Amino acid sequence: MKRYHVTTFGCQMNQHDSERMKGMLESLGYAEAGAPAEADLILFNTCSIREKADERFVAHLEQAKGLKRADPQRIIGVGGCWAQSVKEDVFRRFPYVDVAFGPGQVHKLAEFLTSDSLTAQGFFEFGGFTGHLPAKRARDLQGWVQISVGCNMNCSYCIVPSTRGREVSRPLVELVAEVERMAADGVREVTLLGQNVNAYGRDLRPQRTSFAELLGALDGISGLDRVRYTSPHPKDMREDVVLAHVQLPTVCEHVHLPLQAGSSRILKAMRRTYTRERYLDRVALIREHVPDAALTTDVIVGFPGESEEDFVQTLGVCEEVGFDGAFTFIYSPRRGTEAATFTEGLVPHEVAVERMERLVEVVQRRARQRAQRFVGRELEVLVEGPSRTDPARLRGRTRHNKVVNFDGVAAPGDLVGVTIVAATSQTLTGEMSLVAAAAAR
Ligand code: SAH
Ligand code: SF4
Ligand code: F3S
């Protein structure tokens, strides 16, 4: 039997694409190998969001080159956003690569593997949802659902629109059927994936569908306890979506709302299409209806033209909102993007690093403070397994998407009540309530 190995870089969408790649390969009769050295087919599912992502992948590819030299029968494949962004250039730069394909062409990998072709091939059309391929889920209880591909936004720093194409939504009935199948298979929690999930459905014909309608349609699925989604765009965060968090029991009390910058001037240069005020207004809307909701975000520091005053405004928003967590990034110029052509007000790396440190201080302090609201409360926790830090304890996740390490006896998949006794910026610690434990059985 032939064996494959997939190394995945990048976001949850890429992780999910890899599940589909694996499912497809297994339907072709391949089995998963524990390491690249044991595989006949070595695949990389790549990311290009920042320069570091590129560098990391190239180092891995160098290792694969050695393995290919040892056994020239081996096939090396490169998929994902980096492959899409360099296209045929991949074969010039890395002549030992046999097949390359973009995120919309994963299905072509099967065609390549079942053909007799000995020449390297690249597939870079947009089109085709990986969501249509069989999946090999990485996790038993939690599943990803690709609700749309591509992005119609034009953020000036971002490579994604060029690697994933225009936005295309999958029909609602198809998504409901997919989630029904997952729930029947034991999945308790799904995360809906898209570059801009709340723009979902506007392109659907004959009938447009809204993201809130999709949430409503998934809510009734038997056996499904929780629905999450990532990422919504602040410009499309409307009241119907916020109200879904209140009205639909499955929709979790967590919103990841990417801020990127707290200065309206920088937001404009980023082409984010909202201002600082509009962002804060969205936060107020969420807090009005779902006061306890966890809010997380993404922030970029060191964007071209970002002055000290602009940066202080970003700090101000983080201070004011008090996010439950944030992913923070130093701006990285990406090939083909508008911002990569900016020449004025470039922020020296040391300045960006210094700003990053100040940002992280605010983010962590506020997250720690925010987390204290959970202490003393009993929260619903979906048990995932043993704690990573102490296997004698259990690990699970709250509806707010906080990891909880706790004492108790429960099986993965149980929903239990855990009383929180301590909280850091990242994790909660607690004890399982006995009453809730009995009810879970
Ligand atoms: N579609 C999603 C996520 C895009 S990528 C959204 O719009 O929220 C995830 C995050 O990477 C972005 O939110 C942004 O904060 C960061 N990012 C994207 N391009 C970047 C770049 N060129 N440099 C640094 N960070 C970047
Ligand atoms: Fe990139 Fe902006 Fe689209 Fe997100 S919304 S994927 S940041 S272009
Ligand atoms: Fe994701 Fe990286 Fe592509 S973040 S969409 S895999 S560039």
Side-chain angles (χ1 to χ4, degrees):
M1 190 189 271
K2 290 214 164 160
R3 303 216 288 164
Y4 70 86
H5 186 272
V6 183
T7 309
T8 309
F9 304 86
C11 62
Q12 297 181 31
M13 187 69 93
N14 243 23
Q15 309 274 345
H16 176 63
D17 287 348
S18 289
E19 293 184 333
R20 299 287 175 173
M21 242 176 245
K22 291 179 182 186
M24 186 183 77
L25 291 169
E26 299 203 356
S27 73
L28 292 177
Y30 280 76
E32 187 162 12
E38 296 155 15
D40 307 285
L41 170 64
I42 301 177
L43 287 177
F44 297 95
N45 193 12
T46 60
C47 171
S48 220
I49 199 78
R50 286 168 290 275
E51 203 175 342
K52 273 216 183 90
D54 284 7
E55 289 165 2
R56 213 172 297 151
F57 153 66
V58 169
H60 275 79
L61 198 53
E62 288 296 322
Q63 284 174 4
K65 178 184 179 183
L67 292 172
K68 171 111 182 169
R69 202 178 292 138
D71 176 4
Q73 295 299 310
R74 272 199 174 104
I75 294 180
I76 298 186
V78 182
C81 288
W82 178 85
Q84 183 69 38
S85 75
V86 302
K87 298 200 179 67
E88 306 291 341
D89 228 25
V90 58
F91 302 115
R92 260 187 300 278
R93 292 175 57 186
F94 306 102
Y96 47 91
V97 169
D98 299 289
V99 58
F101 49 98
Q105 295 285 290
V106 175
H107 55 284
K108 290 284 188 180
L109 174 63
E111 214 170 273
F112 175 83
L113 293 171
T114 50
S115 76
D116 303 321
S117 167
L118 292 173
T119 49
Q121 281 189 51
F123 305 97
F124 305 109
E125 301 280 301
F126 290 126
F129 294 104
T130 50
H132 288 159
L133 300 170
K136 183 188 182 191
R137 265 203 327 279
R139 306 169 300 171
D140 291 332
L141 305 169
Q142 289 135 317
W144 285 303
V145 185
Q146 183 186 51
I147 66 166
S148 58
V149 292
C151 184
N152 286 357
M153 297 303 293
N154 214 358
C155 303
S156 59
Y157 51 81
C158 185
I159 198 167
V160 174
S162 73
T163 65
R164 295 209 175 235
R166 301 284 296 169
E167 195 170 283
V168 188
S169 305
R170 289 173 67 195
L172 182 120
V173 283
E174 188 179 307
L175 294 171
V176 171
E178 182 170 321
V179 176
E180 278 171 349
R181 276 196 303 277
M182 290 166 95
D185 196 30
V187 168
R188 310 293 298 273
E189 174 180 308
V190 291
T191 302
L192 311 180
L193 298 179
Q195 298 307 331
N196 180 1
V197 285
N198 45 6
Y200 168 81
R202 286 181 199 160
D203 56 314
L204 288 173
R205 298 291 180 273
Q207 204 186 345
R208 289 164 61 124
T209 313
S210 72
F211 182 58
E213 283 171 296
L214 173 63
L215 292 174
L218 298 178
D219 187 61
I221 292 176
S222 146
L224 186 69
D225 295 312
R226 294 174 170 186
V227 174
R228 305 183 185 282
Y229 57 86
T230 195
S231 290
H233 194 291
K235 94 176 155 67
D236 294 315
M237 196 66 199
R238 284 196 308 264
E239 195 157 26
D240 57 351
V241 176
V242 177
L243 286 175
H245 287 264
V246 186
Q247 292 160 353
L248 306 173
T250 53
V251 179
C252 291
E253 293 75 23
H254 170 216
V255 181
H256 180 74
L257 197 64
L259 167 68
Q260 313 301 3
S263 143
S264 295
R265 205 176 67 81
I266 295 299
L267 285 168
K268 189 159 188 216
M270 288 177 162
R271 295 198 189 279
R272 285 294 286 178
T273 70
Y274 55 84
T275 59
R276 169 197 180 90
E277 291 69 32
R278 165 84 183 166
Y279 184 90
L280 289 172
D281 176 64
R282 297 297 92 186
V283 170
L285 183 71
I286 295 168
R287 292 238 160 108
E288 176 194 335
H289 293 296
V290 203
D292 190 40
L295 277 175
T296 56
T297 200
D298 293 346
V299 183
I300 298 175
V301 299
F303 188 77
E306 182 188 74
S307 65
E308 172 64 20
E309 294 81 77
D310 292 316
F311 174 66
V312 166
Q313 296 214 17
T314 297
L315 282 184
V317 173
C318 293
E319 194 75 66
E320 183 175 336
V321 173
F323 292 105
D324 292 79
F327 296 111
T328 50
F329 308 104
I330 290 183
Y331 166 72
S332 169
R334 302 285 59 210
R335 54 191 166 276
T337 62
E338 184 190 355
T341 65
F342 293 173
T343 49
E344 277 175 34
L346 299 185
V347 178
H349 187 67
E350 319 78 74
V351 175
V353 169
E354 186 259 349
R355 286 180 188 167
M356 179 66 131
E357 284 167 5
R358 288 156 66 197
L359 177 65
V360 168
E361 188 279 319
V362 172
V363 163
Q364 288 188 347
R365 173 165 47 76
R366 295 294 281 127
R368 202 164 49 241
Q369 287 166 352
R370 284 278 295 161
Q372 303 314 310
R373 77 188 188 282
F374 298 126
V375 175
R377 279 168 61 183
E378 185 184 359
L379 300 178
E380 178 200 285
V381 172
L382 177 64
V383 181
E384 292 177 356
S387 154
R388 294 209 175 109
T389 46
D390 175 4
R393 311 180 80 195
L394 291 171
R395 185 195 71 235
R397 213 169 269 272
T398 69
R399 292 176 60 92
H400 301 88
N401 208 29
K402 282 275 178 191
V403 172
V404 189
N405 293 305
F406 62 100
D407 293 315
V409 181
D414 285 351
L415 278 183
V416 300
V418 173
T419 302
I420 305 306
V421 297
T424 67
S425 61
Q426 300 278 343
T427 53
L428 306 176
T429 309
E431 282 156 19
M432 190 169 137
S433 326
L434 293 173
V435 184
R441 249 131 260 272

